[in-house]
Amino acid sequence: QRPHGRNNSKKNKNNNKNNVDANDNGDSDNDKSEDDGVMPEQRLYHLLVSCLELEAGRQWERLLDTRIECLALSRLVYGKQDLEVTNAHAQLAQVYLAMNMSQQASRHAQLALSRLDEASNNNNNNN
């Protein structure tokens, strides 16, 4: 089971989807995310704090999963072109490198560098 007593099985997720109140038209705020209503910004903040602890403890597998989630949430919270997403790619590249996964590290490092180049070019064009 996951925290808060939730079971992560597919069967329970499907059952929960089928047990929708007949009066619910899907427009209500009662539809909660997996994190019981935690806003993406809050979730991202807590994950970033966790990353510091996981990195200090050299828990690479868990850190990798957490950094991947941070990248997804950064895209959601800030938008795909924001420098926070660039930073998330760079951080993910570092984890892949620490895990000797050079191909993945290179891919995310290149994405981060290309985004930095784009941001630099945009700043130069605006001046």
Side-chain angles (χ1 to χ4, degrees), residues 95-110:
V95 176
Y96 278 126
L97 192 59
M99 295 178 72
N100 294 318
M101 299 172 79
S102 58
Q103 189 173 13
Q104 292 90 334
S106 177
R107 178 174 177 261
H108 286 280
Q110 287 172 351

Side-chain angles (χ1 to χ4, degrees), residues 36-47:
D36 292 330
V38 174
M39 298 298 291
E41 297 88 350
Q42 293 170 316
R43 174 78 178 148
L44 179 57
Y45 173 80
H46 291 294
L47 287 173

Side-chain angles (χ1 to χ4, degrees), residues 2 7 15 22-23 28 32 37 43 46 72 105 109-111 127:
R2 299 188 64 196
N7 189 324
N15 286 342
N23 295 326
S28 73
K32 292 188 177 183
R43 174 78 178 148
H46 291 294
Q110 287 172 351
L111 283 168
N127 290 334

Side-chain angles (χ1 to χ4, degrees), residues 75-110:
R75 286 181 179 145
L76 179 68
V77 170
Y78 299 108
K80 289 183 179 181
Q81 301 304 315
D82 195 273
L83 287 177
E84 291 295 332
V85 176
T86 302
N87 185 50
H89 277 290
Q91 295 293 327
L92 185 54
Q94 287 181 329
V95 176
Y96 278 126
L97 192 59
M99 295 178 72
N100 294 318
M101 299 172 79
S102 58
Q103 189 173 13
Q104 292 90 334
S106 177
R107 178 174 177 261
H108 286 280
Q110 287 172 351

Side-chain angles (χ1 to χ4, degrees), residues 48-60 63 67:
L48 291 171
V49 171
S50 294
C51 285
L52 298 174
E53 297 168 2
L54 293 170
E55 189 170 6
R58 303 175 68 82
Q59 297 179 41
W60 303 121
L63 181 59
R67 286 290 185 198

